[in-house]
Amino acid sequence: MKKNSVLTFISTVIFLIGIIAILLSSRNPGSLMPAWILLAVSLAYLVSGWYIFRGYNPEGSTVLLFFTGYLYASVFMAFTFKAAGWPLARTFFFVAPAFSIAHMVITVLIRKKLSKEGLIQFLTEGGIMLVLSIVALFKS
């Protein structure tokens, strides 16, 4: 199974931008710039997650890849709500760890269809999202 390195790079860059925006929003609570960046990251995963995740799983089902993008978008949307100070932020944070765990469970279930690098990447990203959402839940 040959992975697409361009799509893998794009997915990694989007994820890193999101993580950096999360860290910026926690350091500067009143700033709206991280919230807008997180909103863009969420929308990118929601709209094109099915496409960019083909870099890790070229033969993957479009529905499964869309669902994975939806899970990523939901976790980043929770951080968007928190960074912007919008209502329902706490509600999103109660669900964000469950979405991160669901992502990791799905990754483990389809591990034989993923390349070794894709499996490690998905599990690492899921773990980072899980830790950040749990920390943010207890912090708020």
Side-chain angles (χ1 to χ4, degrees):
M1 163 180 347
K2 183 172 173 21
K3 68 179 200 166
N4 187 334
S5 31
V6 172
L7 292 177
T8 303
F9 178 74
I10 291 170
S11 178
T12 303
V13 166
I14 292 172
F15 186 78
L16 288 176
I17 289 171
I19 295 300
I20 291 168
I22 289 170
L23 296 175
L24 286 174
S25 71
S26 67
R27 300 279 297 162
N28 304 320
S31 177
L32 284 180
M33 182 55 90
W36 288 107
I37 294 170
L38 287 166
L39 181 62
V41 168
S42 296
L43 291 175
Y45 278 126
L46 187 61
V47 172
S48 64
W50 63 271
Y51 180 72
I52 60 175
F53 288 140
R54 289 219 181 271
Y56 301 118
N57 190 5
E59 292 112 25
S61 163
T62 303
V63 174
L64 180 64
L65 294 174
F66 172 79
F67 186 65
T68 303
Y70 173 78
L71 293 174
Y72 272 62
S74 298
V75 172
F76 281 107
M77 189 58 73
F79 285 101
T80 303
F81 272 58
K82 181 176 183 194
W86 293 338
L88 295 176
R90 189 150 173 85
T91 303
F92 264 104
F93 269 109
F94 279 120
V95 180
F99 283 165
S100 297
I101 292 170
H103 162 68
M104 293 172 71
V105 167
I106 289 170
T107 301
V108 169
L109 290 175
I110 64 166
R111 71 184 175 275
K112 292 182 180 175
K113 295 180 182 180
L114 294 170
S115 65
K116 184 177 179 181
E117 298 86 17
L119 176 65
I120 292 169
Q121 184 81 20
F122 270 151
L123 289 176
T124 303
E125 289 177 357
I128 290 170
M129 289 188 301
L130 178 62
V131 168
L132 287 175
S133 60
I134 289 173
V135 167
L137 179 65
F138 285 118
K139 210 173 179 185
S140 61

